[in-house]
Each structure stands twice: as C-alpha cells, then as structure tokens.
C-alpha cells in the first residue's frame, strides 16, 4: 500500500519513482528561475522580456508534447489505483 503511494503517479506517466523525482526536480528548478525572472521583469520591464513565456513553452514541450502516450497508457493500465477519500479510482483518473 505504501509503495503504491510513491509509485502510482510516476507509473501513470511512464516513469519510475527516481526518474519522476529527477524530472520533477528539473521542472522545479526551471520554474523557480522563470519565476524569479518574472519577478525582476515586473519591476524592470525591459529585462527578461521573453524569459517567462519561454520557460512555460519549454516545460509544456517536455511535459505534454514529448510524452510517450502509449508507454504511459500501458503502465497506468497495469497499476491498480489507491482508494482516495473512500472512492475507488482507476489509474487513468
């Protein structure tokens, strides 16, 4: 039960726990840097003019566009869902 709590979501996107951890850490670093650039841009609009939108585009490309949907679907179909709030959900939900 505990193991599934750590592996269910990574499996649903076709990754192991450690692959997912690495990807999430890279995303968080990119988002933090993009957020700081946006903060500076708020006060100095001539700085980091495209940085925030380029960060969003890059993250979207990595997360959504390039994901291997077949691998994710196959992995999620094999993984039983954890009951949440008393409801039984499928891995795809």
């Amino acid at each position: 039960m505990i193991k599934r709590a750590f592996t269910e979501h990574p499996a649903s996107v076709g990754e192991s726990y450690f692959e997912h951890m690495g990807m999430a850490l890279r995303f968080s670093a990119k988002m933090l840097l993009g957020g700081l650039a946006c903060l500076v841009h708020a006060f100095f609009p001539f700085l980091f003019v495209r940085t925030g939108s380029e960060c969003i585009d890059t993250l979207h490309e990595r997360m959504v566009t390039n994901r291997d949907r077949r691998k994710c679907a196959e992995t999620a179909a094999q993984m039983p869902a954890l009951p949440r709030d008393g409801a039984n959900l499928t891995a795809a939900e």
Side-chain angles (χ1 to χ4, degrees):
M1 180 76 157
I2 295 294
K3 182 180 177 184
R4 278 194 300 164
F6 287 91
T7 58
E8 181 180 28
H9 171 65
S12 74
V13 294
E15 297 171 342
S16 71
Y17 172 79
F18 289 107
E19 288 171 330
H20 192 71
M21 179 192 296
M23 187 63 72
L25 288 171
R26 284 189 292 277
F27 271 62
S28 68
K30 183 82 170 167
M31 290 169 57
L32 284 169
L33 292 173
L36 288 173
C38 288
L39 181 65
V40 171
H41 177 75
F43 294 100
F44 303 101
F46 51 89
L47 296 175
F48 303 112
V49 175
R50 292 262 321 134
T51 306
S53 57
E54 287 174 358
C55 177
I56 292 168
D57 289 342
T58 300
L59 292 174
H60 181 267
E61 182 76 15
R62 287 184 189 162
M63 184 181 287
V64 178
T65 307
N66 289 332
R67 184 180 295 156
D68 185 346
R69 298 274 181 212
R70 291 168 302 188
K71 182 179 176 185
C72 295
E74 290 169 6
T75 306
Q78 298 168 0
M79 195 76 176
L82 290 173
R84 292 187 181 90
D85 300 325
N88 289 325
L89 301 174
T90 66
E93 295 176 316

